[in-house]
Amino acid sequence: MQHRRQNGVKTSRRKMLDGLAVAIKNNISTTELPTTSSSHMLKEYNSPFDATVVKLLRNSGADIVGKANCDEFGMGSMNLHSIHGAVVNPFVPKVANPGSRHVKRSAGGSSGGSAAAVAAGMCYAALGTDTGGSTRLPASYCGIVGLKPSYGIISRWGVVSFADSLDCVGIFGGDVSAVQNIFNILSVYDERDPTAADVESRMTASRASQERMEQWSDDKGSLEGLRIGIPQEYFPAELAPEILEPVRRTIHGLRSAGATIIPVSLPSSSYALSAYYVIASAEASSNMARYDGVEYGFHVITPYGTDITKASNVYAQTRSVGFGEEVKKRILLGTYALTADAFDNYFLQAQRVRQLVKNDFNKAFAISDYLTNQAPSHSKMGVDVLLHPSAIGIAPPLEGERNDLDAYVQDVLTVPASLAGLPAISVPALVRNDGWPVGVSIVGQWGCDPMVMKVAEYIEKLRD
Amino acid sequence: MAVAALRNILKEWQVLIGIETHAQIKSSRKLFSGSLAAVPDDVHNSHVSLFDAAYPGTLPRLNHYCVDLALRTALALNCDVQRKSSFDRKHYFYPDLPSGYQITQQYQPLARNGFLEIASNSSSTLKKVGIKQIQLEQDTAKSTFNPRTRTSNIDLNRAGTGLMEIVSQPDIQSPEEAAAYVRTLQAVLRAVGSSDGNMEQGSLRCDVNVSINRPGEPPGTRCEIKNLNSVKFMVAAIGHEVIRQHGILTAPKDPSMSESPRVKQETRGFDEHQFETYSLRAKEEAPDYRYMPDPNLGVLVLSESRIQSIAESLPELPPAIRLRLQEKYALPERDVDVLLSIDSGRDVGFDGRPGTGGAIAYFDALCQGANTRGETASRKRDPKVVSNWMTHELLGQLTARKESFKVTAITAGQLGELIDLVQDGTITGTSGKFLLRHMLANPSHRPPLEIATELQMLAVSSEQSSSTSSTDLASPDAYLNELVEGAFNALPSEVAALRAGREGVLNKVVGWVMKQSRGRVDANKVKALVKQKVVKDS
């Protein structure tokens, strides 16, 4: 009897995603399809194992329909740096300016393929990764929902490392409920990920988050009691005018529903982007060192006459051809940041900035950081979540003039949450019918993933 | 010549030696991957996990057995165990390093500020050598270059095995002290079960820093000699290096040079055929390893209770064993030396489990009264008698059989019962030795009494009570008398000589009796009886 009931429970859980199509970013290991990471280096590479997240999806009955294009090893903001070519944003504006209709726009990066697959209706949900904004930015550009969970909540076992201290598995969905469904399946402790948050931290944070949510969420859709912080530093000079209006309307809608809107300051945010690029590139230079053409992947046969007494002469052949320009650029930057002379000024300085960014967030939130057990400095005054534009503009055109720096500036609003390891979700804001989508981001305290999804759900309702 | 030259230099110059030891941790699995650690004879690339081969998407997971063994080492070397330590990546490109970095503890090692006491050649008291730090790190793979095919072969079996890097202070002042340091360290590692410490098999490797200066002057520039894999080579390398540096420092000053001659700081190798060191790279050519905190492993936090429980369960260290053997058992120093030296050759168990083949444990079990049923304390035995049987009879016969103590086929319980049989007169000492030889040649789990009975070795005096006795003699004395009679008949000239007062012949007569009885009679009794008979008959 008990056995049968257990079986019944199991079967119904198994069927949670039964038959639903899910796409997987190409830097997440799957046994059935190549895991190229969009790099020549792994063009022919088939992983001998499934990532934990892939295994969990399969166990839930999901249909893994394909691997999605991305920037090489996740490095990029526009999904331009890929051996599979650039990803075209599938969004079609309802009433478009006839002139701009045929301009191909970026789907964002680095998880552009995953976002585009969901936006084009090819799948129910998709997995991406998010190191500095790689899920939130494409979600914003493609008009879908994208979650970067709290660091350590979803297993990274099988995710090809770009920068381990920042890498998260991201979730895309057409709406918040799809993201919630996938999140519930993937947010389990995995002993194979040494950075996985322990069960106790998860439970404590989840309980605290739940308690807060019970204070403001009720059935009538009132947000009385919800405190939303608007960080002033997240409206920089580079912010495009077409972004501001939808963000304002979203804030207005939330306030009308009863939420309290509070201006806050996160003063260290302006240094976050520089710190992010130093840390991410340093870790990338280290993680890319394994691609030498010896154990697996692409290999260039050493030309006759090469001095093969030095391993570097042999490796250089493979690495010079196998890596794309953007990856090479970051390897060089990261290698420099780690040299003995630069280490203190760059790498260590960036780590100090990272701590300041974390402190800023902890000061703003009402809930404690249950991962590091830092109590909030003024919990009564603190906010539940922060709200800011996901990107400084709408999806940029794929062709045409581009300032080299533009691509890096795209990340300016998303990297602080990455540095602090916080959950952040980008959800489409109220856009007038003629325009390209604009995303707003909801950022919460560590472990408050359900809370940011809940707020995102309200924003979704405002849109209807 | 080199030895004499070295001795002369050491009279006027001070030598400072620091040793970095890499000791392979005796864990069943590697430091960060679940794969089983390999032993030297394993088939190439048979102990490799995806992590060991640096496959994309794999992540490290710290093996806590390795941490515990490193903690034992740290405590045994009197170190301050760091409540928080962390792991760093050391980057370089080489085929023996699949990930392009080695995970080590550059910035925050596991333990600091310890010391090891070694025997010193300059005084009778022990000398303290400071231990700067102990860090955990991964071993590399092995790459061998084939010049004929111009290809490198890579064996990943060793890749990722746990190592302890034990760094000494430059407190060592002669090649002999360096040898004593390494040997003492080996004994400590084996005693706590953290490493085989086997230099021949590569589970212990040394890098040695050497500098020389005149007494009273600041230390000289040091050179590092890499990868010394035997104590003999290390002593030779230090000797050569001292002579070489001395040669540079005392060379006639070149008038065209404004500065006095100096030793260049560099990394050197040791040529095992020429017995010389040679330059590998100058300081300027030293690679920048671009150390970076490992973003996956975070901080290793050790609780006070974990450190405490390791400290409480720490196996006994060699100096303590020595003291115990001397005080508790009152063994002479010679026997203690023998037991300790055999004990250090035992097998070290994996993951801190007790090893097998330990001479001290064997000796303790014997003294505590171990028997063949695996019980102890049935009856305590006299340590001096036990030591005599172990260090003379057992080791002597093992040596004759060209076997090591480690693989001895006779258990402590068996030897213990054998000793008991001799002590209570069930068999004679001669029979006991014969029985021991027999049992070594025919290993079994049977109790010695059973074997002795089967071999008809029971002493005649003890067979009185035995109803199953195979002898048909009424009493042992009668049997003894009969044997002595036989000897007098068989050896008339020897008996005549005895009567003539030539005592030396006595042993020959006694020997004849012993042989006839297959050692089952007491030689002293025989001797007395023969003497008595000679006097009586004459």
Side-chain angles (χ1 to χ4, degrees):
Chain A
M1 178 64 192
Q2 198 182 19
H3 177 72
R4 233 155 83 197
R5 236 184 86 204
Q6 270 186 345
N7 250 356
V9 171
K10 245 185 171 174
T11 326
S12 70
R13 267 195 68 186
R14 270 231 177 98
K15 284 183 176 163
M16 252 170 96
L17 294 179
D18 219 7
L20 290 176
V22 179
I24 308 289
K25 189 178 180 179
N26 223 336
N27 63 348
I28 299 176
S29 303
T30 53
T31 50
E32 283 174 5
L33 294 159
T35 302
T36 69
S37 300
S38 294
S39 179
H40 205 76
M41 201 58 104
L42 295 177
K43 201 177 164 191
E44 313 281 328
Y45 173 71
N46 279 288
S47 178
F49 68 104
D50 272 330
T52 298
V53 286
V54 172
K55 208 172 277 178
L56 288 169
L57 286 176
R58 283 195 210 281
N59 290 345
S60 300
D63 185 10
I64 308 294
V65 288
K67 298 296 279 282
N69 196 352
C70 61
D71 277 303
E72 185 176 0
F73 289 110
M75 299 179 205
S77 305
M78 290 174 66
N79 214 141
L80 293 170
H81 313 293
S82 165
I83 48 155
H84 309 296
V87 176
V88 179
N89 194 323
F91 186 83
V92 181
K94 281 173 187 149
V95 185
N97 174 339
S100 73
R101 175 100 196 216
H102 300 292
V103 175
K104 287 181 178 171
R105 287 184 182 267
S106 164
S110 65
S111 313
S114 302
V118 171
M122 295 164 75
C123 49
Y124 168 73
L127 296 191
T129 58
D130 190 315
T131 305
S134 286
T135 293
R136 291 158 284 162
L137 203 61
S140 179
Y141 288 174
C142 293
I144 59 165
V145 181
L147 170 74
K148 179 204 99 72
S150 302
Y151 182 82
I153 290 281
I154 295 183
S155 170
R156 289 190 296 116
W157 174 260
V159 175
V160 178
S161 295
F162 157 14
D164 300 273
S165 76
L166 297 156
D167 292 344
C168 292
V169 171
I171 304 169
F172 293 101
D175 54 27
V176 176
S177 83
V179 172
Q180 280 169 332
N181 275 344
I182 303 289
F183 177 82
N184 290 339
I185 289 161
L186 301 186
S187 57
V188 290
Y189 174 76
D190 177 15
E191 61 169 17
R192 277 178 299 189
D193 177 356
T195 58
D198 59 77
V199 177
E200 199 193 331
S201 306
R202 287 166 196 260
M203 299 278 278
T204 321
S206 159
R207 220 176 294 129
S209 162
Q210 196 59 40
E211 274 169 23
R212 272 311 289 190
M213 280 157 66
E214 276 162 12
Q215 287 177 25
W216 46 261
S217 63
D218 67 5
D219 297 337
K220 281 165 285 178
S222 162
L223 294 179
E224 199 89 37
L226 167 62
R227 295 167 64 85
I228 300 176
I230 311 295
Q232 60 185 57
E233 291 81 4
Y234 287 63
F235 296 82
E238 293 90 348
L239 200 69
E242 62 264 40
I243 299 293
L244 216 47
E245 175 57 23
V247 174
R248 274 206 187 114
R249 288 211 279 160
T250 304
I251 295 172
H252 183 76
L254 290 166
R255 185 190 281 141
S256 302
T260 312
I261 306 298
I262 300 145
V264 298
S265 175
L266 302 170
S268 304
S269 299
S270 48
Y271 308 107
L273 190 64
S274 319
Y276 166 79
Y277 272 100
V278 171
I279 294 168
S281 304
E283 291 186 26
S285 76
S286 172
N287 285 325
M288 296 298 116
R290 68 188 57 208
Y291 303 107
D292 51 23
V294 176
E295 267 80 21
Y296 49 79
F298 175 67
H299 175 69
V300 172
I301 292 164
T302 314
Y304 188 75
T306 310
D307 172 15
I308 58 168
T309 56
K310 277 193 174 155
S312 53
N313 291 341
V314 177
Y315 291 3
Q317 310 290 337
T318 296
R319 290 169 66 82
S320 299
V321 178
F323 287 130
E325 288 310 309
E326 182 63 25
V327 172
K328 281 187 204 167
K329 206 187 278 181
R330 299 203 195 195
I331 290 176
L332 286 178
L333 175 64
T335 300
Y336 173 70
L338 292 178
T339 50
D341 291 341
F343 187 72
D344 201 353
N345 279 336
Y346 288 83
F347 189 81
L348 290 184
Q349 185 65 11
Q351 296 292 359
R352 287 188 275 267
V353 170
R354 186 174 190 172
Q355 189 56 51
L356 293 177
V357 170
K358 280 184 191 170
N359 296 347
D360 278 1
F361 279 115
N362 280 336
K363 273 180 207 155
F365 287 123
I367 294 182
S368 303
D369 175 0
Y370 286 105
L371 192 63
T372 57
N373 284 317
Q374 267 186 8
S377 43
H378 43 65
S379 60
K380 282 262 167 59
M381 304 285 291
V383 299
D384 296 305
V385 293
L386 296 161
L387 183 152
H388 62 77
S390 299
I392 56 167
I394 57 164
L398 282 173
E399 313 284 334
E401 270 186 48
R402 253 193 326 267
N403 182 331
D404 243 17
L405 264 180
D406 278 357
Y408 300 109
V409 175
Q410 299 294 328
D411 293 339
V412 70
L413 302 177
T414 50
V415 296
S418 294
L419 288 171
L422 303 179
I425 190 167
S426 178
V427 58
L430 301 159
V431 186
R432 280 164 297 149
N433 282 342
D434 58 346
W436 279 78
V438 169
V440 291
S441 282
I442 306 297
V443 180
Q445 180 57 284
W446 186 90
C448 293
D449 305 63
M451 188 191 281
V452 300
M453 287 188 276
K454 190 88 189 160
V455 176
E457 215 171 16
Y458 276 111
I459 295 172
E460 210 168 55
K461 277 183 200 153
L462 291 175
R463 223 173 39 196
D464 298 336
Chain B
M1 200 184 80
V3 176
L6 184 62
R7 205 177 297 131
N8 284 332
I9 295 169
L10 290 175
K11 276 180 201 157
E12 287 175 39
W13 292 74
Q14 188 176 31
V15 181
L16 294 181
I17 301 163
I19 301 181
E20 282 178 29
T21 310
H22 290 93
Q24 221 169 56
I25 298 172
K26 186 83 179 188
S27 58
S28 59
R29 289 170 195 277
K30 295 183 180 182
L31 184 55
F32 295 117
S33 75
S35 39
L36 291 167
V39 297
D41 294 334
D42 284 330
V43 176
H44 295 331
N45 292 311
S46 61
H47 291 249
V48 188
S49 70
L50 294 172
F51 176 82
D52 301 330
Y55 266 62
T58 57
L59 296 167
R61 188 158 58 127
L62 181 60
N63 176 352
H64 278 280
Y65 285 112
C66 294
V67 177
D68 284 349
L69 291 177
L71 284 177
R72 283 192 188 183
T73 309
L75 293 168
L77 295 178
N78 313 292
C79 291
D80 297 334
V81 171
Q82 305 295 293
R83 295 289 302 276
K84 285 182 178 178
S85 64
S86 59
F87 294 93
D88 308 294
R89 295 179 179 180
K90 175 183 181 178
H91 299 91
Y92 59 92
F93 287 112
Y94 202 70
D96 66 10
L97 199 59
S99 62
Y101 55 80
Q102 176 195 31
I103 301 177
T104 177
Q105 296 192 296
Q106 167 77 5
Y107 296 116
Q108 288 179 283
L110 186 78
R112 298 180 197 263
N113 301 330
F115 63 86
L116 175 64
E117 287 183 313
I118 62 164
S120 160
N121 52 345
S122 58
S123 82
S124 59
T125 56
L126 293 175
K127 170 178 178 145
K128 270 187 190 178
V129 175
I131 303 292
K132 187 165 169 258
Q133 64 181 57
I134 299 175
Q135 63 200 54
L136 281 166
E137 60 186 36
Q138 295 172 298
D139 208 342
T140 57
K142 262 184 190 158
S143 74
T144 40
F145 185 71
N146 183 336
R148 196 179 57 80
T149 57
R150 289 175 44 89
T151 51
S152 286
N153 294 322
I154 300 160
D155 177 10
L156 294 178
N157 276 359
R158 204 179 66 180
T161 304
L163 289 181
M164 294 173 283
E165 180 174 327
I166 302 163
V167 185
S168 91
Q169 300 284 5
D171 294 342
I172 299 159
Q173 290 178 299
S174 69
E176 293 75 24
E177 280 186 8
Y181 170 81
V182 172
R183 292 208 175 97
T184 312
L185 183 60
Q186 281 175 318
V188 169
L189 297 176
R190 287 172 185 159
V192 300
S194 62
S195 174
D196 277 342
N198 188 326
M199 291 191 91
E200 287 69 38
Q201 291 185 359
S203 60
L204 191 102
R205 280 113 60 191
C206 293
D207 300 340
V208 179
N209 281 296
V210 180
S211 72
I212 65 170
N213 61 280
R214 289 186 200 275
E217 288 181 2
T221 307
R222 63 199 168 91
C223 287
E224 186 182 28
I225 313 160
K226 282 269 183 202
N227 261 328
L228 296 163
N229 53 20
S230 81
V231 171
K232 185 176 133 195
F233 291 153
M234 182 183 72
V235 168
I238 295 170
H240 179 265
E241 194 54 24
V242 169
I243 294 171
R244 187 188 72 87
Q245 293 184 14
H246 177 261
I248 293 170
L249 295 174
T250 55
K253 198 177 162 184
D254 183 344
S256 66
M257 301 285 281
S258 57
E259 285 178 33
S260 42
R262 276 185 173 182
V263 172
K264 273 195 306 176
Q265 187 178 336
E266 58 185 1
T267 302
R268 300 179 70 84
F270 180 69
D271 185 324
E272 293 169 10
H273 306 291
Q274 303 293 321
F275 264 53
E276 283 175 5
T277 68
Y278 59 93
S279 180
L280 282 171
R281 55 174 182 254
K283 188 195 174 200
E284 301 73 42
E285 298 160 16
D288 184 336
Y289 291 120
R290 309 188 311 282
Y291 287 100
M292 179 185 91
D294 186 279
N296 289 317
L297 290 160
V299 178
L300 170 61
V301 181
L302 297 172
S303 68
E304 196 57 58
S305 64
R306 180 168 174 191
I307 299 168
Q308 196 60 39
S309 85
I310 298 275
E312 280 161 10
S313 62
L314 198 66
E316 204 176 17
L317 296 173
I321 297 174
R322 174 176 291 278
L323 204 65
R324 182 167 63 86
L325 293 181
Q326 284 169 341
E327 288 184 351
K328 182 175 168 191
Y329 296 132
L331 286 191
E333 193 164 342
R334 210 199 60 90
D335 287 12
V336 173
D337 285 342
V338 171
L339 288 174
L340 277 172
S341 116
I342 304 160
D343 195 59
S344 75
R346 76 188 185 282
D347 281 331
V348 175
F350 283 103
D351 297 330
R353 286 188 290 272
T356 52
I360 304 295
Y362 194 95
F363 178 77
D364 281 332
L366 277 174
C367 292
Q368 294 309 312
N371 62 26
T372 49
R373 290 180 303 279
E375 296 156 0
T376 57
S378 52
R379 175 170 65 172
K380 302 220 169 173
R381 301 191 179 99
D382 180 347
K384 284 199 183 107
V385 173
V386 165
S387 172
N388 195 45
W389 274 94
M390 243 187 102
T391 59
H392 291 103
E393 306 310 332
L394 179 59
L395 290 177
Q397 297 210 12
L398 285 171
T399 309
R401 298 176 58 82
K402 298 190 169 61
E403 286 174 0
S404 79
F405 178 77
K406 264 200 295 199
V407 295
T408 179
I410 183 165
T411 65
Q414 285 176 316
L415 181 58
E417 288 188 359
L418 190 156
I419 294 171
D420 294 344
L421 294 179
V422 175
Q423 289 300 104
D424 64 18
T426 309
I427 60 175
T428 63
T430 315
S431 292
K433 290 172 197 174
F434 178 83
L435 181 59
L436 181 61
R437 189 156 60 230
H438 177 84
M439 288 174 74
L440 286 172
N442 305 283
S444 76
H445 296 295
R446 299 163 67 200
L449 179 60
E450 194 181 306
I451 303 169
T453 310
E454 191 177 287
L455 295 177
Q456 302 183 358
M457 263 183 195
L458 299 195
V460 173
S461 60
S462 72
E463 278 187 14
Q464 263 180 310
S465 56
S466 168
S467 56
T468 58
S469 168
S470 59
T471 50
D472 48 4
L473 290 156
S475 78
D477 284 347
Y479 177 56
L480 202 60
N481 269 322
E482 188 187 312
L483 281 170
V484 174
E485 287 289 353
F488 274 58
N489 291 334
L491 306 166
S493 55
E494 280 79 0
V495 173
L498 259 183
R499 288 200 175 111
R502 283 169 57 197
E503 291 276 317
V505 193
L506 180 60
N507 282 341
K508 194 165 181 186
V509 180
V510 173
W512 189 94
V513 174
M514 294 307 290
K515 199 175 169 191
Q516 289 298 304
S517 76
R518 293 196 304 278
R520 293 189 298 161
V521 291
D522 187 332
N524 286 328
K525 274 192 184 165
V526 177
K527 208 178 270 181
L529 194 61
V530 171
K531 276 185 180 167
Q532 193 190 342
K533 211 168 156 57
V534 166
V535 174
K536 201 169 74 183
D537 292 358
S538 57

